[in-house]
Amino acid sequence: MKILDKYLLKTFLTTFTMVFVILFFIFILQTVWLFISELAGKDLDLVMILKFLMFATPRIIPLVLPLSVLLSSIMTFGNLAENYEFAAMKSAGISLQRGMKSLVIFILFLSLVAFIFANNVIPYAEYKFINFRKNIAQVKPALAIAEGQFSDVGFYNIKVNKKSGENGNTLTGITIHKKSALGDGNKTVIKAKNGELISNEKSSTLKLVLNDGYYYEDIVPKKYEERDKIPFAKSSFKKYIINIDLSMLNSAGADESKISNTCSMQNISELTYTLDSLNKNLNTDIMSFSETSNQRIGVLKKINFQPIKNNIIIPSDLLSLFPNDNKLEILKMASSTIESAAFSIESTKTELEFKKKNINEHLLAFYDKFVIAFACFLMFFIGAPLGAIIRKGGLGLPIVFAVLVFITFHFINTFGKRISQENGLSPFMGAWMSSFILSPLAILLTYRATNDIGLINMDVILAPFQKIIQKIFPSQN
């Protein structure tokens, strides 16, 4: 490796490392903010918080890595151009493409690492992240209940004065507000001196055993005039057991669709197998519905209508072929058949659309693993020539250009995925839309930087206006 290649690679790696670390911590703070409701007020120790963040952070790499490549490319090549190092290279007969050679090899290696990371590490981290949140609820369910304040746990608001025991499962001074199924407030209050949380890793149900307490329930009379009396029922108990679904715990701020959808937890081989099964299932449902629909159209068979001979002309009014006694029955049967068919079509359509969206999400997850690798390559070929053109290093102007380019890339990527999920665009186009749109920009910037053309040729823009001004105000000799 020549001295120039070593110098450029060292300069780029130093800038890339600094930018990556800064952006990584910024996005970690964003992750903490998104899941603050699950971390705050639940007596989580430092080890559990670190595990939580360790499993949550791999998902931010697809955002941090391309942005780091883009910003470090602009800063590196902007510094070289600002310090006239590129001018010295060109005077020595070294072109921009030759200067980028070592960095291109590094970016190709980085793209390969990004692909392996997206295909293996991120799915594993997603799996561990979801299961870690479930294990918090199963192993230490008391973490969902904070001392001295009401905690929202499924259909209950629970407040305890004190927690004790090895995992905080022994509760003292318990007040529970049970939510109304109609959503019209809390009409049931349960108070107990003490209680215990009993859970099992193999069970999805949490038992809350209450001791020595009272049960209050507001009663809503059917007659409106009796409601002013505000009647209620009161009973005491020595022992009362409440069963709580563990899925209700630690669900605040969680996206249930992401939890139920496992496509983010699969690598390419698993996604290929899953997609094959989903497509076969969808085709089977379509064929089954088609056969069922054909079998339902059997009105003529049910009324014992004799087939019409070929030499008989069928009248426009088919009911005239039947006796008056059968006409009403035929109309009722036809109406019932139409309603049944319409309901079946609508419900089947909804089910098939849901399955198609599920297939689209798996396809998007499949293509994303390749998009992140290409995004690193694309961001480099946008950032490197852009830095050479603007001739500015540091953290000023390069950040502005990097943010504008990356926001455009991320917005188009998100927009394409959303349209693809709703069947408005093929998943392939939705996943690759941002890359297809920005690739011409990378080619254009590389061409202009190679030929020492500025970012915007102001002479071309101002020439028409100069001609108009000269015609209006001709120069006087």
Side-chain angles (χ1 to χ4, degrees), residues 188-192 212-217 232-238 240:
T188 303
V189 179
I190 304 172
K191 283 182 161 294
D212 297 329
Y214 294 90
Y215 186 98
Y216 305 90
E217 183 177 5
F232 71 95
K234 175 183 177 182
S235 62
S236 61
F237 57 84
K238 290 292 183 181
Y240 185 76

PDB file of all heavy atoms in Angstrom, residues 188-192 212-217 232-238 240:
ATOM      1  N   THR A 188     -64.736  -0.217  40.665  1.00  0.00           N
ATOM      2  CA  THR A 188     -64.412  -1.251  41.642  1.00  0.00           C
ATOM      3  C   THR A 188     -63.085  -0.907  42.316  1.00  0.00           C
ATOM      4  O   THR A 188     -62.100  -0.619  41.639  1.00  0.00           O
ATOM      5  CB  THR A 188     -64.308  -2.634  40.973  1.00  0.00           C
ATOM      6  OG1 THR A 188     -65.524  -2.934  40.308  1.00  0.00           O
ATOM      7  CG2 THR A 188     -64.007  -3.704  42.004  1.00  0.00           C
ATOM      8  N   VAL A 189     -63.094  -0.919  43.650  1.00  0.00           N
ATOM      9  CA  VAL A 189     -61.891  -0.642  44.439  1.00  0.00           C
ATOM     10  C   VAL A 189     -61.655  -1.816  45.378  1.00  0.00           C
ATOM     11  O   VAL A 189     -62.580  -2.272  46.062  1.00  0.00           O
ATOM     12  CB  VAL A 189     -62.026   0.666  45.243  1.00  0.00           C
ATOM     13  CG1 VAL A 189     -60.766   0.914  46.069  1.00  0.00           C
ATOM     14  CG2 VAL A 189     -62.282   1.841  44.312  1.00  0.00           C
ATOM     15  N   ILE A 190     -60.423  -2.293  45.417  1.00  0.00           N
ATOM     16  CA  ILE A 190     -60.055  -3.403  46.287  1.00  0.00           C
ATOM     17  C   ILE A 190     -58.919  -2.933  47.183  1.00  0.00           C
ATOM     18  O   ILE A 190     -57.915  -2.406  46.709  1.00  0.00           O
ATOM     19  CB  ILE A 190     -59.614  -4.637  45.474  1.00  0.00           C
ATOM     20  CG1 ILE A 190     -60.713  -5.053  44.496  1.00  0.00           C
ATOM     21  CG2 ILE A 190     -59.264  -5.794  46.401  1.00  0.00           C
ATOM     22  CD1 ILE A 190     -60.281  -6.133  43.525  1.00  0.00           C
ATOM     23  N   LYS A 191     -59.094  -3.132  48.482  1.00  0.00           N
ATOM     24  CA  LYS A 191     -58.061  -2.759  49.449  1.00  0.00           C
ATOM     25  C   LYS A 191     -57.669  -3.990  50.256  1.00  0.00           C
ATOM     26  O   LYS A 191     -58.527  -4.787  50.630  1.00  0.00           O
ATOM     27  CB  LYS A 191     -58.562  -1.665  50.391  1.00  0.00           C
ATOM     28  CG  LYS A 191     -58.599  -0.273  49.785  1.00  0.00           C
ATOM     29  CD  LYS A 191     -59.069   0.744  50.801  1.00  0.00           C
ATOM     30  CE  LYS A 191     -58.702   2.158  50.409  1.00  0.00           C
ATOM     31  NZ  LYS A 191     -57.257   2.386  50.399  1.00  0.00           N
ATOM     32  N   ALA A 192     -56.366  -4.128  50.494  1.00  0.00           N
ATOM     33  CA  ALA A 192     -55.887  -5.266  51.280  1.00  0.00           C
ATOM     34  C   ALA A 192     -54.686  -4.841  52.107  1.00  0.00           C
ATOM     35  O   ALA A 192     -53.918  -3.958  51.706  1.00  0.00           O
ATOM     36  CB  ALA A 192     -55.517  -6.427  50.356  1.00  0.00           C
ATOM     37  N   ASP A 212     -56.761 -10.223  53.892  1.00  0.00           N
ATOM     38  CA  ASP A 212     -57.405  -9.297  54.839  1.00  0.00           C
ATOM     39  C   ASP A 212     -57.725  -7.954  54.179  1.00  0.00           C
ATOM     40  O   ASP A 212     -57.018  -6.956  54.371  1.00  0.00           O
ATOM     41  CB  ASP A 212     -56.513  -9.048  56.062  1.00  0.00           C
ATOM     42  CG  ASP A 212     -56.271 -10.326  56.852  1.00  0.00           C
ATOM     43  OD1 ASP A 212     -57.173 -11.185  56.845  1.00  0.00           O
ATOM     44  OD2 ASP A 212     -55.183 -10.463  57.438  1.00  0.00           O
ATOM     45  N   GLY A 213     -58.793  -7.945  53.413  1.00  0.00           N
ATOM     46  CA  GLY A 213     -59.137  -6.715  52.728  1.00  0.00           C
ATOM     47  C   GLY A 213     -60.624  -6.550  52.500  1.00  0.00           C
ATOM     48  O   GLY A 213     -61.454  -7.329  52.991  1.00  0.00           O
ATOM     49  N   TYR A 214     -60.958  -5.497  51.721  1.00  0.00           N
ATOM     50  CA  TYR A 214     -62.348  -5.166  51.415  1.00  0.00           C
ATOM     51  C   TYR A 214     -62.494  -4.941  49.914  1.00  0.00           C
ATOM     52  O   TYR A 214     -61.556  -4.508  49.220  1.00  0.00           O
ATOM     53  CB  TYR A 214     -62.776  -3.906  52.174  1.00  0.00           C
ATOM     54  CG  TYR A 214     -62.821  -4.080  53.677  1.00  0.00           C
ATOM     55  CD1 TYR A 214     -61.701  -3.813  54.457  1.00  0.00           C
ATOM     56  CD2 TYR A 214     -63.987  -4.520  54.312  1.00  0.00           C
ATOM     57  CE1 TYR A 214     -61.723  -3.973  55.822  1.00  0.00           C
ATOM     58  CE2 TYR A 214     -64.022  -4.688  55.688  1.00  0.00           C
ATOM     59  CZ  TYR A 214     -62.895  -4.413  56.440  1.00  0.00           C
ATOM     60  OH  TYR A 214     -62.928  -4.586  57.799  1.00  0.00           O
ATOM     61  N   TYR A 215     -63.691  -5.227  49.459  1.00  0.00           N
ATOM     62  CA  TYR A 215     -64.035  -5.123  48.038  1.00  0.00           C
ATOM     63  C   TYR A 215     -65.210  -4.161  47.908  1.00  0.00           C
ATOM     64  O   TYR A 215     -66.281  -4.389  48.469  1.00  0.00           O
ATOM     65  CB  TYR A 215     -64.416  -6.506  47.505  1.00  0.00           C
ATOM     66  CG  TYR A 215     -64.654  -6.584  46.013  1.00  0.00           C
ATOM     67  CD1 TYR A 215     -63.666  -7.030  45.154  1.00  0.00           C
ATOM     68  CD2 TYR A 215     -65.879  -6.228  45.459  1.00  0.00           C
ATOM     69  CE1 TYR A 215     -63.872  -7.131  43.787  1.00  0.00           C
ATOM     70  CE2 TYR A 215     -66.106  -6.311  44.094  1.00  0.00           C
ATOM     71  CZ  TYR A 215     -65.099  -6.762  43.267  1.00  0.00           C
ATOM     72  OH  TYR A 215     -65.319  -6.851  41.919  1.00  0.00           O
ATOM     73  N   TYR A 216     -64.989  -3.038  47.209  1.00  0.00           N
ATOM     74  CA  TYR A 216     -66.033  -2.033  47.020  1.00  0.00           C
ATOM     75  C   TYR A 216     -66.376  -1.961  45.529  1.00  0.00           C
ATOM     76  O   TYR A 216     -65.483  -1.914  44.674  1.00  0.00           O
ATOM     77  CB  TYR A 216     -65.571  -0.644  47.480  1.00  0.00           C
ATOM     78  CG  TYR A 216     -65.068  -0.593  48.897  1.00  0.00           C
ATOM     79  CD1 TYR A 216     -63.722  -0.817  49.181  1.00  0.00           C
ATOM     80  CD2 TYR A 216     -65.937  -0.307  49.952  1.00  0.00           C
ATOM     81  CE1 TYR A 216     -63.243  -0.767  50.471  1.00  0.00           C
ATOM     82  CE2 TYR A 216     -65.451  -0.260  51.257  1.00  0.00           C
ATOM     83  CZ  TYR A 216     -64.119  -0.482  51.514  1.00  0.00           C
ATOM     84  OH  TYR A 216     -63.655  -0.430  52.798  1.00  0.00           O
ATOM     85  N   GLU A 217     -67.673  -1.896  45.247  1.00  0.00           N
ATOM     86  CA  GLU A 217     -68.105  -1.800  43.850  1.00  0.00           C
ATOM     87  C   GLU A 217     -69.303  -0.869  43.733  1.00  0.00           C
ATOM     88  O   GLU A 217     -70.324  -1.068  44.430  1.00  0.00           O
ATOM     89  CB  GLU A 217     -68.449  -3.165  43.276  1.00  0.00           C
ATOM     90  CG  GLU A 217     -68.844  -3.114  41.801  1.00  0.00           C
ATOM     91  CD  GLU A 217     -69.106  -4.498  41.220  1.00  0.00           C
ATOM     92  OE1 GLU A 217     -69.069  -5.481  41.988  1.00  0.00           O
ATOM     93  OE2 GLU A 217     -69.364  -4.584  40.005  1.00  0.00           O
ATOM     94  N   PHE A 232     -73.701   1.275  46.442  1.00  0.00           N
ATOM     95  CA  PHE A 232     -72.498   0.479  46.223  1.00  0.00           C
ATOM     96  C   PHE A 232     -72.577  -0.777  47.076  1.00  0.00           C
ATOM     97  O   PHE A 232     -73.328  -0.856  48.053  1.00  0.00           O
ATOM     98  CB  PHE A 232     -71.234   1.275  46.555  1.00  0.00           C
ATOM     99  CG  PHE A 232     -71.027   1.531  48.020  1.00  0.00           C
ATOM    100  CD1 PHE A 232     -70.227   0.698  48.794  1.00  0.00           C
ATOM    101  CD2 PHE A 232     -71.650   2.612  48.640  1.00  0.00           C
ATOM    102  CE1 PHE A 232     -70.045   0.945  50.130  1.00  0.00           C
ATOM    103  CE2 PHE A 232     -71.470   2.851  49.991  1.00  0.00           C
ATOM    104  CZ  PHE A 232     -70.660   2.017  50.740  1.00  0.00           C
ATOM    105  N   ALA A 233     -71.776  -1.764  46.676  1.00  0.00           N
ATOM    106  CA  ALA A 233     -71.706  -3.028  47.413  1.00  0.00           C
ATOM    107  C   ALA A 233     -70.345  -3.132  48.095  1.00  0.00           C
ATOM    108  O   ALA A 233     -69.323  -2.705  47.544  1.00  0.00           O
ATOM    109  CB  ALA A 233     -71.905  -4.201  46.457  1.00  0.00           C
ATOM    110  N   LYS A 234     -70.348  -3.685  49.304  1.00  0.00           N
ATOM    111  CA  LYS A 234     -69.120  -3.817  50.079  1.00  0.00           C
ATOM    112  C   LYS A 234     -69.060  -5.211  50.668  1.00  0.00           C
ATOM    113  O   LYS A 234     -70.057  -5.735  51.166  1.00  0.00           O
ATOM    114  CB  LYS A 234     -69.082  -2.777  51.206  1.00  0.00           C
ATOM    115  CG  LYS A 234     -67.885  -2.915  52.142  1.00  0.00           C
ATOM    116  CD  LYS A 234     -67.957  -1.902  53.282  1.00  0.00           C
ATOM    117  CE  LYS A 234     -66.792  -2.102  54.252  1.00  0.00           C
ATOM    118  NZ  LYS A 234     -66.871  -1.160  55.384  1.00  0.00           N
ATOM    119  N   SER A 235     -67.888  -5.817  50.587  1.00  0.00           N
ATOM    120  CA  SER A 235     -67.693  -7.140  51.163  1.00  0.00           C
ATOM    121  C   SER A 235     -66.260  -7.255  51.662  1.00  0.00           C
ATOM    122  O   SER A 235     -65.363  -6.561  51.167  1.00  0.00           O
ATOM    123  CB  SER A 235     -67.990  -8.244  50.133  1.00  0.00           C
ATOM    124  OG  SER A 235     -67.103  -8.148  49.031  1.00  0.00           O
ATOM    125  N   SER A 236     -66.051  -8.100  52.623  1.00  0.00           N
ATOM    126  CA  SER A 236     -64.713  -8.326  53.168  1.00  0.00           C
ATOM    127  C   SER A 236     -64.238  -9.720  52.778  1.00  0.00           C
ATOM    128  O   SER A 236     -65.040 -10.591  52.424  1.00  0.00           O
ATOM    129  CB  SER A 236     -64.722  -8.178  54.693  1.00  0.00           C
ATOM    130  OG  SER A 236     -65.605  -9.135  55.270  1.00  0.00           O
ATOM    131  N   PHE A 237     -62.935  -9.887  52.805  1.00  0.00           N
ATOM    132  CA  PHE A 237     -62.381 -11.203  52.454  1.00  0.00           C
ATOM    133  C   PHE A 237     -61.118 -11.439  53.273  1.00  0.00           C
ATOM    134  O   PHE A 237     -60.415 -10.504  53.669  1.00  0.00           O
ATOM    135  CB  PHE A 237     -62.076 -11.290  50.959  1.00  0.00           C
ATOM    136  CG  PHE A 237     -61.135 -10.237  50.447  1.00  0.00           C
ATOM    137  CD1 PHE A 237     -59.753 -10.389  50.549  1.00  0.00           C
ATOM    138  CD2 PHE A 237     -61.627  -9.061  49.881  1.00  0.00           C
ATOM    139  CE1 PHE A 237     -58.894  -9.413  50.087  1.00  0.00           C
ATOM    140  CE2 PHE A 237     -60.764  -8.082  49.409  1.00  0.00           C
ATOM    141  CZ  PHE A 237     -59.393  -8.257  49.515  1.00  0.00           C
ATOM    142  N   LYS A 238     -60.867 -12.722  53.513  1.00  0.00           N
ATOM    143  CA  LYS A 238     -59.613 -13.126  54.142  1.00  0.00           C
ATOM    144  C   LYS A 238     -58.539 -13.399  53.093  1.00  0.00           C
ATOM    145  O   LYS A 238     -57.355 -13.155  53.320  1.00  0.00           O
ATOM    146  CB  LYS A 238     -59.841 -14.375  55.003  1.00  0.00           C
ATOM    147  CG  LYS A 238     -60.654 -14.133  56.261  1.00  0.00           C
ATOM    148  CD  LYS A 238     -59.859 -13.269  57.230  1.00  0.00           C
ATOM    149  CE  LYS A 238     -60.642 -13.078  58.532  1.00  0.00           C
ATOM    150  NZ  LYS A 238     -59.887 -12.219  59.476  1.00  0.00           N
ATOM    151  N   TYR A 240     -58.140 -13.296  48.649  1.00  0.00           N
ATOM    152  CA  TYR A 240     -58.730 -12.993  47.338  1.00  0.00           C
ATOM    153  C   TYR A 240     -57.619 -13.087  46.281  1.00  0.00           C
ATOM    154  O   TYR A 240     -56.526 -12.538  46.469  1.00  0.00           O
ATOM    155  CB  TYR A 240     -59.346 -11.587  47.344  1.00  0.00           C
ATOM    156  CG  TYR A 240     -60.085 -11.225  46.087  1.00  0.00           C
ATOM    157  CD1 TYR A 240     -61.345 -11.740  45.832  1.00  0.00           C
ATOM    158  CD2 TYR A 240     -59.522 -10.352  45.152  1.00  0.00           C
ATOM    159  CE1 TYR A 240     -62.042 -11.404  44.684  1.00  0.00           C
ATOM    160  CE2 TYR A 240     -60.208 -10.016  44.002  1.00  0.00           C
ATOM    161  CZ  TYR A 240     -61.464 -10.537  43.772  1.00  0.00           C
ATOM    162  OH  TYR A 240     -62.144 -10.210  42.626  1.00  0.00           O
TER     163      TYR A 240
END
